[in-house]
Amino acid sequence: MSVANRSSSSPSQLKSAEPVVALHEINRHFQLGEQTVKALDAVSLELLAGDYVSVMGPSGSGKSTLLNILGLLDRPDAGAYLLNGAPTQDLSEEKRARLRQQNIGFVFQSYHLIPRMSARENIELPLILAGTAPKERARMVSEMLERLGLTARASHLPNQLSGGQRQRVAIGRAIIMKPKLLLADEPTGNLDTQSGADVVTLLEELNTQGITLVVVTHDVELGKRARRQLRMVDGRIQSDLRQSDVSD
Amino acid sequence: MKAPDLLKMVTRTINFGRTRAVLTSLGITIGIAAVALLTSIGEGVRSYVMDEFSQFGARIIAINPGKNVTGGMGGILSTVRPLSLQDAEALRQAPYVEYVVPVVQGAGAIEYKQRTRNVDIFGVSADMPAAWRFAVAQGRFLPRNNDARSSPYAVIGHKVKQELFQGESPLGQLIRIGGMRFRVIGVIEPKGDMLGFDLDDTAYIPADLALDLFNREGLMEVDVIFSPATDSTYMSALIKKMLIQRHGREDFTLITQDQMLTSLNSILSVLTLAVGLLGSISLLVGGVGILTTMTTSVRERTSEIGLLRALGATRAQVLSLFLAEAVTLSTIGGVCGLLLMGVVTALAFLFAPEFPIRPHVPFLLIALLLSSLIGLIAGVVPALQASRLNPIDALRTE
């Protein structure tokens, strides 16, 4: 797998177009017994096409909630979320599912592969849900397997794959629909160092090709690789550092 | 999502948990087999009985002496004029009448040489084979005689011939029935049983001689077979009018074959339905099995449902996935049930061919449809549960 040099900020990423994601004053509160937990407290955030953002912070700081809101899995209690300039907060559940399908890819710590489906079928799943024609699907999945270096493993079930391979399958599944936004929740959390490094390389390569990458992580090393680093505390964005500000 | 893909995903899931799928479907299999088998037996009994009753044909009206009425002047009304041979003869002259069979029935001993056999004895007329659709295997049937006293001829059933004559030709032989001598002039072809009566263990003699033999005043029944050019309503009215004219009042009862068949048919159809419903109890149990399995399945695959939702599956898609799974499980059960039923039917056919199983294709199709429907109903609640899961919570579940 060829690796683009992560530190080179290619020109394509610098040109700032319309933001892919715009959050305005997002509130998300949970009721825990008597107590109201402000998981997100008036969070505003813009992500541009090609951004590489890491979200860090202590447990309970609202990282996951932010990711869920960004992924249209959760609805804010207040505030506006514009995806590609279009407001999403009032859309029906089925329309949000459609938006997710077309625009957002998810990568999870625990892969979330379907155990009875082969690597190929797991990658194919979003295309099936979207109703893509079988011929088209086969071509796209084969290309993807090739790109991920998994062609030889295409017919293996998840439990016949190594952790790194599983996460690569999961990434293949996340990007098969060519989303603009890729959300990764601790993508290396379950992996050994080498596999983790491979996965990060793959994610960054995708980012270089233009995908907006958001990585939520506890791993400081991983977090520091992003050109833009958000730190969250108590449901607020405490700091928002850009690569140029960071002394690496 | 395209339908073939849905089906593929469902079969993959079912195939992955094969043991569970088999056990779940088993309930439906047994239920469908029970329903199919019970209705087939019900249908078999119905058509058996109907065949038995309609083997004499549908255009038959039976006239019996006496009328079931409750009158105030019992003494007078209860004097019933017997049905006579003259009545029968008069009916023969009526329009549309094809055959008339006066019937006197009794039991008696037939003696031939040293052998004696107790059989049913029917006093009938020459019209009997045509009217009751009996065929003469050997010799001929009783001749027609006009007014004069009949000659002492007898026609015997197949079994009587076998038992009494044991290989000898019975034709022309003299036998004694109840002390009277008869000459055997024919043998009726084998007819089998009818509702327990062995139709082959009988002897037929002229009705007038039977009246003497059994010392009866009147006939027990007169069967009138009418031509297809008219219907039983018209014929009933006609016969009623004629007999009232002859007897002065209605002291007889008419039973038309189609009346009897209609009521018999509806009774037996209800019976079939009832046993079918009884069988559906096991289907219900099978449905509960599917409900259980699907509920467990939704719980186990919660994180998978979360993933599907994250990948852009709509609620409707999740719902249809689980519904399709339930319906597939139950339909597999239904098909297996019909196969099981087919095996049982085949075995019954091989080893007990007389057992009245008559698979009724519409019932089988209904049973199959029913199995799918049960899957659908049993699947609704779990599938709704699945579709309503919050994707975040679902994803968090490991």
Side-chain angles (χ1 to χ4, degrees):
Chain A
M1 190 181 325
S2 69
V3 184
N5 187 351
R6 65 157 186 100
S7 57
S8 75
S9 328
S10 71
S12 70
Q13 292 154 29
L14 291 178
K15 68 172 180 201
S16 56
E18 192 173 312
V20 175
V21 166
L23 302 181
H24 296 298
E25 300 284 315
I26 293 284
N27 280 335
R28 185 73 176 102
H29 297 170
F30 296 103
Q31 202 68 35
L32 268 181
E34 301 271 290
Q35 214 178 354
T36 304
V37 179
K38 295 181 172 177
L40 291 180
D41 189 6
V43 169
S44 293
L45 179 68
E46 286 198 348
L47 301 180
L48 304 181
D51 259 358
Y52 177 10
V53 184
S54 66
V55 182
M56 289 189 284
S59 294
S61 59
K63 304 187 302 284
S64 296
T65 307
L66 179 65
L67 205 68
N68 290 335
I69 295 275
L70 284 175
L72 290 172
L73 292 173
D74 201 358
R75 281 172 193 268
D77 296 319
Y81 172 10
L82 283 77
L83 183 65
N84 297 322
T88 63
Q89 63 274 9
D90 297 325
L91 293 178
S92 72
E93 195 51 46
E94 304 299 74
K95 282 199 173 123
R96 287 154 64 87
R98 184 102 189 131
L99 273 183
R100 272 202 297 278
Q101 179 178 77
Q102 304 297 336
N103 296 289
I104 303 168
F106 292 89
V107 177
F108 307 95
Q109 178 174 359
S110 52
Y111 327 124
H112 278 298
L113 297 178
I114 294 186
R116 54 188 179 278
M117 291 185 167
S118 67
R120 165 175 275 279
E121 289 164 329
N122 266 289
I123 293 175
E124 195 181 11
L125 194 52
L127 296 170
I128 289 175
L129 292 171
T132 312
K135 239 185 179 168
E136 177 76 356
R137 276 189 337 233
R139 187 184 59 73
M140 291 172 77
V141 175
S142 294
E143 275 176 24
M144 183 60 70
L145 285 163
E146 183 73 42
R147 184 172 168 190
L148 299 169
L150 288 170
T151 305
R153 305 248 145 203
S155 55
H156 287 51
L157 292 178
N159 62 12
Q160 297 165 322
L161 298 172
S162 74
Q165 287 168 337
R166 286 186 213 185
Q167 194 59 300
R168 270 187 284 157
V169 171
I171 293 172
R173 182 183 62 194
I175 61 171
I176 191 78
M177 295 295 292
K178 303 189 172 69
K180 295 198 175 64
L181 183 60
L182 184 58
L183 305 174
D185 189 357
E186 299 281 9
T188 58
N190 281 5
L191 298 176
D192 61 83
T193 319
Q194 182 54 48
S195 309
D198 286 349
V199 163
V200 170
T201 305
L202 174 60
L203 289 174
E204 289 175 354
E205 194 181 73
L206 293 167
N207 173 245
T208 324
Q209 287 156 10
I211 207 167
T212 305
L213 176 62
V214 179
V215 180
V216 167
T217 184
H218 276 110
D219 182 349
V220 181
E221 285 304 307
L222 175 59
K224 278 187 175 166
R225 295 172 69 93
R227 283 190 303 283
R228 187 175 171 193
Q229 297 161 16
L230 301 179
R231 183 167 176 79
M232 292 196 69
V233 176
D234 292 338
R236 287 172 170 275
I237 296 174
Q238 193 193 42
S239 65
D240 184 352
L241 299 177
R242 312 252 166 186
Q243 179 106 65
S244 47
D245 313 329
V246 185
S247 53
D248 206 322
Chain B
M1 192 166 21
K2 292 182 159 54
D5 289 325
L6 178 76
L7 202 68
K8 206 172 136 196
M9 283 179 77
V10 166
T11 49
R12 173 65 57 90
T13 310
I14 288 175
N15 200 28
F16 198 72
R18 221 166 303 153
T19 316
R20 178 193 289 190
V22 166
L23 290 176
T24 306
S25 302
L26 194 63
I28 298 290
T29 300
I30 292 169
I32 289 292
V35 170
L37 211 57
L38 284 173
T39 52
S40 296
I41 291 173
E43 186 61 21
V45 167
R46 191 187 69 84
S47 63
Y48 169 77
V49 172
M50 295 303 283
D51 281 353
E52 292 286 300
F53 274 89
S54 57
Q55 64 176 313
F56 300 123
R59 297 193 313 277
I60 188 164
I61 295 176
I63 307 156
N64 296 94
K67 175 97 183 154
N68 286 333
V69 287
T70 313
M73 304 166 67
I76 300 170
L77 283 176
S78 65
T79 56
V80 169
R81 264 184 72 170
L83 282 173
S84 64
L85 281 168
Q86 288 71 35
D87 289 334
E89 191 50 41
L91 288 171
R92 256 186 72 83
Q93 311 303 324
Y96 298 117
V97 169
E98 289 191 333
Y99 310 108
V100 172
V101 184
V103 182
V104 179
Q105 195 205 338
I110 302 185
E111 296 161 48
Y112 173 67
K113 290 184 180 167
Q114 259 67 56
R115 285 187 284 274
T116 304
R117 186 168 180 83
N118 279 301
V119 300
D120 291 317
I121 294 158
F122 283 88
V124 292
S125 69
D127 280 347
M128 185 280 254
W132 291 358
R133 298 183 185 170
F134 280 29
V136 179
Q138 249 179 305
R140 58 196 170 89
F141 199 70
L142 302 173
R144 187 174 301 286
N145 72 313
N146 299 313
D147 297 332
R149 189 177 161 80
S150 302
S151 321
Y153 291 147
V155 173
I156 56 175
H158 181 72
K159 195 173 218 167
V160 176
K161 172 198 154 191
Q162 276 184 334
E163 297 293 326
L164 222 50
F165 292 91
Q166 297 186 341
E168 275 182 66
S169 169
L171 295 184
Q173 300 293 344
L174 285 174
I175 54 175
R176 296 185 79 84
I177 303 177
M180 287 170 74
R181 280 154 60 92
F182 289 86
R183 188 175 297 280
V184 178
I185 59 167
V187 180
I188 298 287
E189 68 163 17
K191 289 291 281 187
D193 282 1
M194 169 174 157
L195 303 177
F197 274 109
D198 189 347
L199 292 177
D200 298 329
D201 209 4
T202 47
Y204 302 91
I205 57 174
D208 52 338
L209 299 186
L211 284 176
D212 289 351
L213 188 65
F214 297 119
N215 199 19
R216 284 185 62 99
E217 262 188 272
L219 303 168
M220 297 169 76
E221 183 175 302
V222 176
D223 290 344
V224 175
I225 287 80
F226 54 89
S227 98
T230 183
D231 60 27
S232 62
T233 321
Y234 174 80
M235 282 312 288
S236 301
L238 185 73
I239 292 169
K240 201 177 271 184
K241 201 173 116 196
M242 282 181 67
L243 285 180
I244 289 175
Q245 228 165 40
R246 291 177 62 84
H247 288 200
R249 57 195 163 87
E250 194 177 339
D251 55 358
F252 52 90
T253 307
L254 299 188
I255 301 169
T256 64
Q257 185 82 353
D258 51 355
Q259 249 173 18
M260 194 172 67
L261 287 180
T262 308
S263 59
L264 205 64
N265 193 16
S266 61
I267 290 169
L268 291 169
S269 296
V270 168
L271 206 72
T272 301
L273 203 69
V275 291
L277 284 178
L278 222 69
S280 349
I281 293 174
S282 48
L283 262 184
L284 202 71
V285 175
V288 172
I290 289 197
L291 178 66
T292 311
T293 299
M294 290 310 295
T295 308
T296 320
S297 186
V298 167
R299 206 155 295 159
E300 284 171 357
R301 277 149 64 194
T302 298
S303 86
E304 183 184 316
I305 295 162
L307 170 83
L308 288 173
R309 301 277 281 118
L311 293 181
T314 58
R315 285 187 168 164
Q317 280 179 326
V318 172
L319 184 82
S320 56
L321 258 178
F322 280 86
L323 266 188
E325 197 173 318
V327 171
T328 308
L329 275 177
S330 65
T331 308
I332 288 173
V335 171
C336 291
L338 289 186
L339 288 179
L340 179 66
M341 184 256 176
V343 169
V344 172
T345 309
L347 287 179
F349 187 73
L350 280 179
F351 296 107
E354 265 142 58
F355 196 67
I357 295 186
R358 170 96 43 115
H360 191 52
V361 176
F363 280 161
L364 299 187
L365 289 179
I366 289 171
L368 199 59
L369 225 66
L370 198 65
S371 70
S372 305
L373 190 70
I374 284 170
L376 195 68
I377 293 169
V380 163
V381 172
L384 273 177
Q385 269 174 354
S387 73
R388 284 180 185 156
L389 280 176
N390 179 346
I392 303 167
D393 297 339
L395 276 169
R396 212 175 284 142
T397 316
E398 282 304 311

